[in-house]
Every structure is written in C-alpha cells, then in structure tokens.
Amino acid sequence: MRIRCLIVGWDGATWTVIRPLLEQGRLPNLARLMREGVHATLRSFEPSLTPIVWTTIATGKRPEKHGVTRFFDTATGLRTRRIWDILAAPDRSIGLFGWPVTWPPPQLPGFVIPSLFERANDTHPPHLRFIREMESGLQAPWGRRISLIAKAMRYGLRPGTLVHIAGYFLQSRLRRLRANDHFIRQRVLKLEIQLDLYLNLVRRYQPWFTTFYLNQTDAFSHRFWRYLEPEPFPPLPPEELTRYRDAIPYAYELADRALGRILRLTDEETLICLLSDHGFEASHKAGQGMQDFRGRLKGEAVLRTFGLDGEVSYVHHRRWIVLSFRRDASPERKEAVIQKLRSVYVPEIDMPMFDVKEDNIGSLAVKLYGARVFDNRDLDELTVVWPEGRCRFTDLVQPEYDLKVSGIHHPDGILVLKGPGVVRRAEPLSEATVLDVVPTLLALLDFPVAEDMDGRVLTEAIDPAYLQAYPLRTIETYDEGLALEETAEEEEVPQEVMDRLRALGYVD
Ligand SMILES: [Zn+2]
C-alpha cells in the first residue's frame, strides 16, 4: 500500500533563511515540492512553544481547546482527537516519528515513536523502544551501545551511518571537540540515525498517514543565528565567524536531503505537507553579549553514582533529566530517592547540587540547582558530596559553556502543500495559520471538517475541479465518545522552567 498523506515537520523553519538558499540551488527537494504545489507563510501564535504549537497543528484547535497549554505537558492532557486519531482505521495505518507530545504513544494501527517532551522511552509497538534509547545510548557504556547499534542495524541503520557513528566515537575520544562542533556532529548524527530507522519503519508498516519531525532547523537557528546575521551582535573573531557562518544553511541542507529521501517513498497519489511551527529572527537581546553556562547532567552517571540503575530509567529534557520509576516502586522508596538527591551538595559554592521536582505523573524532574552560579567557575575544582560519598562535579555534569541563544522564535513559519487536489501556484497563499493545516488536509483527503475546529480550509490551495468533485463536508465534531482522563489541577509553571525557556528564546 502507498503513503496517502505525509507530513514532514521542520521545527522553526523560516522563509528568511530558505529563500537565499533556494536561489543558490541548495534546497533542491524543497524547490521541487514548491514548484509542484503551493506554499505560504504559516502564521503561528506567541509564545510559540513547540509542544503547544505542534499540538495546535495536529488538531486545528487553539490551546485552550486542545488542552496542551504548558511546556512540560504530555499527551495525557489532550482534550481532543488529533488528525491521526481521526484518520486511523484498520485499513488506514499510521506512522508517527518524532512528533512532539506523542507520549504516551497512542495505540493506533502502525507505529508511534515519540520524541520531544516524552517522559520515558515508550513506543508503539513496545519493541521499538530501542529507537528512543538510541538517543542517550550513544553515551551509554560500551556493551549497551553495541547492543543498541546491532539492533538498529536490523532496523535499517545504514553502513554509512555506522561509519559516521564510529567516527564520532573516535573523534570525541581522541580530541576535545569544540562545544559548537560537538553540537553539530551530535545533531547531524542523530538525524541520520533517525531517518534510517524511520524509512525502514515506513517500508515495514506501509502507513497510510505518516509524519517525520526534525528539530535540527530549530536547534541550529537558536545557536548559530549570530553567525548567519552577525550585524546586530557584538563582533566575533573572524575565524569563528567564518567557521560557523554556514551552520544554519547546513542544517537546512540536511533537512532538505532528509526530505528527498522521504519523498522517494511517495508517489503522485501522496498528499505531501511540509511545515514549521514558527520561524526565527535575531534575538532582541543582541548586543548584550549573552553567554550562559549550560551544564548537562550525565544521566547514566547520575543513576550509577546514586545506585538507581535498574530502578529508574531516564530521558533528557535539555538541561533536565526526567527519572521514571518502575511501576512497582513504592511511594516510600520514591521519597527516599528524592531526599537522597536533595541531600547532594556542592561545598565550594555552598549550594545543593540538584533541583528535584515530582511531576503529576510520578516522574522526577532533576536539574542543576542554580546554573547561573557556575557562570565563571572553574568546574574542575568543584566537588559533589552526599552523606555516603563524594565525586567530582564534572563526573556528573557535561560542561557546555558556549551556547549562545542568538536566534529566537518569530511567529511566521512555513507551509508547502503538494499532491492530488492541490493547485500548482508560484505565488504564496496570502493567509494561512497553524489552525488551518488539519481542516485543509482533511478536505484534501475527502474527510469532513469538524465545526469545532478553529481553523479553516485553505480553499485557495485546492484545485477548483477537486472541490467540485469532492465538495467540502462538515461534521459537528470528531470528539464524540472521546474518553478524557482526569487532568491535574491547573498549576503555575515553575519559575526555573520559565527562566530556562526565556534563555532558550521560547518566551519573552
Ligand atoms: Zn526553538
């Protein structure tokens, strides 16, 4: 069976970056898609928080209606069906890879690999969890790494990718990569691995509706904007400027190559949608010379050092690690772990080591207590002590100094549509918002649009002959019979979370 509908998400992709690259012929797959379909500026809302906007895209509804309103929300907070819930049927399987807020993974015919904002490595079906485990697995002990890679090879990891993984191990061992180079290498490799595995899953599961989401375009834009557009920022050493000037264009080229590989699995009958949740611009804080310390907790080392391996699993959320207990863990044991982590102390700065919070689904979110105090410290001099032991600070923390958030979200993202029923048009559509994606896709798949959706069908993107053959239909709602879980009481977003999001450019 063929793919009937494909959505490719490029987080943070923006026309201001894309246009010059199109002119230079550096994004051939995107160029072809645009030539054969229509495109638009996809207007988002502010603050453009990734989990909230991607959920709006997938539902056609505003946050207060779909229920995902906070940065750390999971799919348990959803109050409505998403497009794949609407489309899924025994003869219409679904394949989701990396779409934000798909944890816990829905039990749909097909496969679901959650990504950002997951609390654990669950996948659907469960035996695919090694794909999630690969994410932190490249830092795991050797035996674990090798078993993960062996499994990945059975699931489509290409020999070329394996060579790149080996090269990465070797390089990070032999010499210290600069923080920026490390950042680039790691994320390029991650995309390569994910794409190999995704394409293999599509061949295995033959989804009718499928999505592939990548966030390299977003991550590179936050970090390297000042090299792309240096003017508003304090001057950089010319060598550094030259070295990273092409980092963002490179991320877009990778995204375009990924798009090209995915498109090879589609045909003339596939409805294709490429989009982003927001765009980018130079940080308004440019000129203030920001430089943040962003230590990253080494999850494996934390578990080992405090004797938690086997008892909890963890995932990274940027600077947080989120620890999930086994189902049979007693509340007393959890409390003991919380107390233990809270007792860990950094004597040189006279502060606790960890900020530990329990979230409303029983996981522990753990991060460095006060990242700011490490700004001008020699980390090699710091120690970590707790009642039963001590270790070096850098045993538990991967120092990352150089992350300068110089690009911040701008509400204008991108949309490209191509396929049966879509017009071919060189000029952009005049009006399109993140609310309109689902209604438009439903119309193009000849499904009724729900009256309780907040967006509209972008009829100017649709061939009039198609509209005549398949007139727009509506139904009241797709949420009939939707079983809602009790949601936790409304709670304030913790100040630390807000600070972190601000530092990342997510909020003002
Ligand atoms: Zn972002």
Side-chain angles (χ1 to χ4, degrees), residues 286-327:
Q288 295 172 20
M290 303 156 297
Q291 184 153 356
D292 289 343
F293 166 81
R294 287 172 185 278
R296 184 177 164 88
L297 289 174
K298 297 177 184 171
E300 297 278 343
V302 170
L303 297 196
R304 254 196 328 273
T305 305
F306 301 104
L308 304 175
D309 24 8
E311 184 175 25
V312 299
S313 60
Y314 79 97
V315 289
H316 268 117
H317 268 298
R318 301 209 167 90
R319 277 151 67 203
W320 299 75
I321 52 174
V322 179
L323 306 179
S324 301
F325 287 85
R326 288 216 318 247
R327 220 173 275 271

Side-chain angles (χ1 to χ4, degrees), residues 11 50 218-219 222 278 280 318 409 504 506:
D11 199 299
T50 297
D218 181 84
H222 280 300
H278 54 75
F280 264 91
R318 301 209 167 90
H409 294 180
L504 280 164
Y506 275 115

Side-chain angles (χ1 to χ4, degrees), residues 159-450:
T161 307
L162 190 64
V163 170
H164 292 159
I165 294 175
Y168 170 75
F169 287 160
L170 203 66
Q171 209 174 15
S172 17
R173 223 185 155 79
L174 288 184
R175 63 188 181 94
R176 283 203 157 157
L177 283 173
R178 293 190 200 192
N180 275 344
D181 295 329
H182 196 258
F183 180 95
I184 293 170
R185 289 292 298 270
Q186 215 173 35
R187 278 154 187 83
V188 170
L189 200 55
K190 183 173 141 186
L191 176 56
E192 220 178 333
I193 294 169
Q194 291 184 337
L195 190 62
D196 284 358
L197 297 172
Y198 170 68
L199 294 174
N200 185 273
L201 290 176
V202 169
R203 289 192 194 96
R204 276 175 195 235
Y205 286 85
Q206 307 268 316
W208 190 90
F209 171 92
T210 186
T211 67
F212 183 80
Y213 163 92
L214 57 87
N215 78 337
Q216 280 72 6
T217 34
D218 181 84
F220 279 60
S221 298
H222 280 300
R223 190 175 177 113
F224 295 108
W225 198 271
R226 61 180 317 179
Y227 304 95
L228 183 80
E229 186 193 345
E231 299 77 19
F233 296 90
L236 285 163
E239 183 268 344
E240 195 187 328
L241 194 59
T242 316
R243 193 178 172 95
Y244 300 112
R245 181 177 292 153
D246 213 43
I248 293 176
Y250 177 56
Y252 277 73
E253 281 182 320
L254 290 175
D256 187 76
R257 248 178 275 163
L259 176 66
R261 283 181 65 194
I262 299 169
L263 290 181
R264 282 205 285 278
L265 298 182
T266 66
D267 62 22
E268 288 306 305
E269 296 303 310
T270 310
L271 174 62
I272 298 160
C273 173
L274 171 74
L275 51 73
S276 66
D277 52 339
H278 54 75
F280 264 91
E281 62 181 337
S283 164
H284 53 270
K285 288 181 279 184
Q288 295 172 20
M290 303 156 297
Q291 184 153 356
D292 289 343
F293 166 81
R294 287 172 185 278
R296 184 177 164 88
L297 289 174
K298 297 177 184 171
E300 297 278 343
V302 170
L303 297 196
R304 254 196 328 273
T305 305
F306 301 104
L308 304 175
D309 24 8
E311 184 175 25
V312 299
S313 60
Y314 79 97
V315 289
H316 268 117
H317 268 298
R318 301 209 167 90
R319 277 151 67 203
W320 299 75
I321 52 174
V322 179
L323 306 179
S324 301
F325 287 85
R326 288 216 318 247
R327 220 173 275 271
D328 53 2
S330 70
E332 293 75 31
R333 180 58 193 149
K334 270 190 197 178
E335 191 50 38
V337 171
I338 294 174
Q339 290 315 325
K340 176 157 201 177
L341 291 175
R342 285 191 178 146
S343 74
V344 181
Y345 190 72
V346 185
E348 291 83 359
I349 53 166
D350 193 23
M351 268 173 64
M353 174 77 176
F354 300 120
D355 182 1
V356 186
K357 293 186 196 325
E358 188 168 7
D359 68 16
N360 52 20
I361 54 169
S363 309
L364 297 185
V366 180
K367 70 161 186 172
L368 275 179
Y369 191 79
R372 291 273 150 76
V373 293
F374 301 108
D375 272 350
N376 296 308
R377 301 292 304 212
D378 179 359
L379 300 185
D380 290 328
E381 286 178 356
L382 300 181
T383 52
V384 178
V385 298
W386 61 99
E388 300 86 26
R390 61 166 52 227
C391 65
R392 283 177 308 172
F393 184 78
T394 48
D395 290 341
L396 301 179
V397 178
Q398 176 74 45
E400 281 184 13
Y401 266 114
D402 208 11
L403 202 154
K404 306 178 192 81
V405 173
S406 58
I408 56 166
H409 294 180
H410 182 280
D412 289 351
I414 70 162
L415 173 70
V416 186
L417 288 169
K418 183 238 154 183
V422 179
V423 293
R424 267 177 193 238
R425 214 174 93 170
E427 344 41 271
L429 302 175
S430 52
E431 284 284 321
T433 79
V434 287
L435 296 167
D436 305 330
V437 176
V438 162
T440 304
L441 293 179
L442 287 175
L444 282 164
L445 294 168
D446 193 27
F447 273 70
V449 175

